[in-house]
Amino acid sequence: MGVPDMDSWAAGLFGILDAMGGLPEAVSHVLATQPGPFAYVYLAGSNMMYHPDKLLLWLKLLTAKGVKSLVFVNLASKSEYNKLPMPADLFKCIALTKLYIGTWCFPNTADLPRTAAFPYLKELGLCNVVMMEKDLTFLLDRCPVLEKLMIARCPWPLCLRIQSHSLQSVQVCIGLVREITVPNASRLERLFLWEAWGWDDHDIKHMSTKIKIDHAPKLRYLGFLVPGMHQLEIGNTLIKVNTKASPNTTVPSVQMLGVQVKLGTYIEARMLPSFLRCFPNIETLYVQSEDDNLNLKLWGPQTSGTSKVINLKFWKEASPIECIQRHIKKLVLREFRGRKSELEFLKFIAEHAQVLKEMVIVMTYGYSPSDNLGTKLRIFMAFVKWANGCCKMMVAKSPFEQQCTAWCYLRGFDFSIEDPFDLSKCCEDKCGAH
């Protein structure tokens, strides 16, 4: 049993840690005897299918005592958790404003009452939850004031339709994604994808994800797009190589963009200029540089290299790109390995970005700015004719002490943070997010 903050009992702050680890009776006693309301409950433990009666009792008590924030995680094995549907009684916790569900099988929506809803829910996280597209639609339709949505490690090919007048931040992390469409999201400000792998029903070698944006007038943050795998569609126009910018093919509201690309792989690099033309007002550009020789990702066979050289001439022929020439003030290139393709891309940006104020190159894990790789970079950039002579270049070491997934969902949900892509403060759980 764990209590996050012993000084907060009066406010009803209460946590349950490892509830199933031999403590079901104690959990039942505490929930029954504490007066509530509960501001926060963390309910997690080994497979809850072995304690169905206790589980229903806990949900009944949480409902009666108006739990506001609930983390509800079933720590079952992969072969077990789809045998126990998430209890439908969870929908009776109508006072919830924040809900995170982990490792459950979503119940049959046909068995749920028509009145099932979370009328006050503002933040929802679904991690490793088995559900069909109709289940996700059912759930989102019953969250009328939802502002923050995260879907992580989805074990099914996700199709997400963002049609909401309340959603402001959506994150899809680590999973198979067939399609994400934004037909009408008047308040959506942030759309984040991280390791959102493509899907193809018939050919594992040509997996792709459709990203379609129709109406999102307040969308300011978007990333990480993967040229060559993500099939970007603006309005009714599929963005292809050399697609010209027009009012029908641009999202002018986007100011910060992240892309994940193999700069030395032709099929990906050739799509990058077309993607950039769709967002003419970008002020901050993040480029996650992937290893050209690494074909372990699901879309690897599709993006194998070609004999065509990706060099400075290639990038110059792709010009003009309005956001680079007139608007980009900050460029961050992460996972720098010293490849020629990376150096040529940096040179192109430096020579064409007229208002660029800051260029940040973050070394890949295991290298530092003071070693030979950092020296090579500084020497190369010293001979570049910068479009803005006042631009500052900074070479930084990876903020992480080991290779890891470089994303922080907490920063993505914290609207007070102006740069949710910046992970330099995310070491040792000091990301600065609230």
Side-chain angles (χ1 to χ4, degrees):
M1 183 76 64
V3 180
D5 184 355
M6 291 298 293
D7 296 328
S8 300
W9 279 98
L13 180 64
F14 177 68
I16 302 173
L17 180 62
D18 195 20
M20 308 306 296
L23 297 176
E25 294 296 339
V27 171
S28 300
H29 175 74
V30 172
L31 286 176
T33 57
Q34 293 302 317
F38 295 141
Y40 173 78
V41 172
Y42 184 102
L43 184 58
S46 56
N47 198 333
M48 295 186 184
M49 68 183 295
Y50 299 118
H51 302 270
D53 295 338
K54 290 290 188 294
L55 183 57
L56 293 178
L57 172 62
W58 295 341
L59 288 175
K60 180 180 179 180
L61 291 170
L62 291 174
T63 300
K65 299 185 180 185
V67 60
K68 299 290 186 181
S69 180
L70 175 63
V71 177
F72 190 41
V73 181
N74 181 22
L75 299 183
S77 67
K78 186 176 181 180
S79 61
E80 290 180 318
Y81 72 83
N82 59 356
K83 298 178 181 178
L84 178 67
M86 183 185 74
D89 282 2
L90 181 63
F91 280 89
K92 295 180 181 179
C93 297
I94 61 172
L96 282 170
T97 59
K98 181 186 294 187
L99 174 63
Y100 279 78
I101 307 170
T103 320
W104 284 101
C105 179
F106 201 80
N108 187 350
T109 55
D111 297 333
L112 296 174
R114 289 186 176 183
T115 56
F118 294 114
Y120 307 108
L121 194 66
K122 293 187 176 182
E123 183 173 334
L124 173 63
L126 304 172
C127 183
N128 205 26
V129 176
V130 177
M131 60 194 314
M132 306 298 290
E133 183 179 351
K134 64 179 181 65
D135 300 326
L136 182 58
T137 300
F138 174 93
L139 180 58
L140 297 181
D141 284 347
R142 282 151 180 80
C143 300
V145 297
L146 190 66
E147 297 176 353
K148 304 173 183 179
L149 171 66
M150 181 186 71
I151 302 175
R153 299 187 181 277
C154 50
W156 82 102
L158 174 67
C159 286
L160 176 61
R161 183 179 177 87
I162 306 173
Q163 184 163 323
S164 166
H165 296 297
S166 62
L167 273 173
Q168 298 179 50
S169 180
V170 175
Q171 304 186 50
V172 178
C173 309
I174 312 178
L176 298 173
V177 180
R178 188 196 306 271
E179 181 177 317
I180 296 177
T181 61
V182 189
N184 189 359
S186 58
R187 297 187 64 194
L188 185 67
E189 298 179 13
R190 302 179 174 204
L191 177 57
F192 300 124
L193 314 174
W194 181 252
E195 301 291 356
W197 300 317
W199 176 262
D200 189 293
D201 289 321
H202 307 290
D203 189 354
I204 194 172
K205 294 182 179 180
H206 295 88
M207 290 184 171
S208 65
T209 298
K210 180 180 180 181
I211 310 293
K212 189 178 190 307
I213 302 174
D214 285 327
H215 184 71
K218 293 186 178 181
L219 185 62
R220 292 181 56 204
Y221 304 88
L222 176 63
F224 279 82
L225 297 181
V226 183
M229 184 187 72
H230 289 161
Q231 307 298 314
L232 181 62
E233 187 172 333
I234 308 296
N236 294 319
T237 303
L238 179 64
I239 306 304
K240 300 179 180 179
V241 176
N242 297 324
T243 295
K244 295 182 179 180
S246 73
N248 295 326
T249 62
T250 58
V251 185
S253 60
V254 175
Q255 297 178 352
M256 190 171 295
L257 178 71
V259 294
Q260 188 176 354
V261 60
K262 296 177 182 178
L263 289 168
T265 301
Y266 181 72
I267 197 168
E268 292 194 18
R270 68 174 184 163
M271 282 301 303
L272 183 54
S274 296
F275 275 27
L276 293 177
R277 291 191 190 98
C278 295
F279 311 101
N281 296 319
I282 299 169
E283 296 183 359
T284 302
L285 175 62
Y286 274 81
V287 178
Q288 176 86 9
S289 179
E290 296 294 320
D291 190 345
D292 300 329
N293 296 327
L294 185 62
N295 285 321
L296 298 179
K297 303 215 176 204
L298 291 179
W299 62 90
Q302 181 190 14
T303 58
S304 56
T306 70
S307 59
K308 296 186 179 182
V309 178
I310 307 299
N311 53 23
L312 184 61
K313 180 181 178 182
F314 167 85
W315 293 111
K316 286 183 176 180
E317 290 177 349
S319 291
I321 303 174
E322 182 177 352
C323 65
I324 291 178
Q325 291 183 324
R326 299 182 180 180
H327 296 284
I328 287 183
K329 299 178 181 178
K330 180 178 180 180
L331 170 74
V332 180
L333 188 141
R334 302 194 319 201
E335 299 297 319
F336 177 78
R337 297 173 175 81
R339 299 293 182 96
K340 180 176 174 59
S341 57
E342 295 172 325
L343 293 170
E344 297 286 10
F345 176 74
L346 291 173
K347 183 178 181 180
F348 168 72
I349 296 293
E351 291 183 344
H352 290 79
Q354 300 173 17
V355 297
L356 188 67
K357 295 181 179 180
E358 186 178 4
M359 177 181 286
V360 181
I361 299 99
V362 183
M363 316 291 284
T364 192
Y365 169 75
Y367 293 88
S368 82
S370 60
D371 59 22
N372 291 336
L373 185 57
T375 302
K376 173 185 175 181
L377 171 61
R378 283 189 291 271
I379 292 175
F380 179 86
M381 297 303 292
F383 290 94
V384 172
K385 186 177 180 180
W386 293 72
N388 181 6
C390 298
C391 180
K392 296 180 180 179
M393 187 184 81
M394 181 176 71
V395 184
K397 183 180 179 180
S398 172
F400 303 103
E401 296 181 356
Q402 59 184 356
Q403 288 182 316
C404 63
T405 297
W407 181 246
C408 175
Y409 85 93
L410 293 174
R411 293 181 66 84
F413 277 166
D414 190 338
F415 298 127
S416 68
I417 294 177
E418 282 297 318
D419 188 349
F421 294 101
D422 182 7
L423 304 182
S424 60
K425 299 179 182 178
C426 288
C427 299
E428 301 177 359
D429 297 326
K430 297 179 180 179
C431 68
H434 297 105

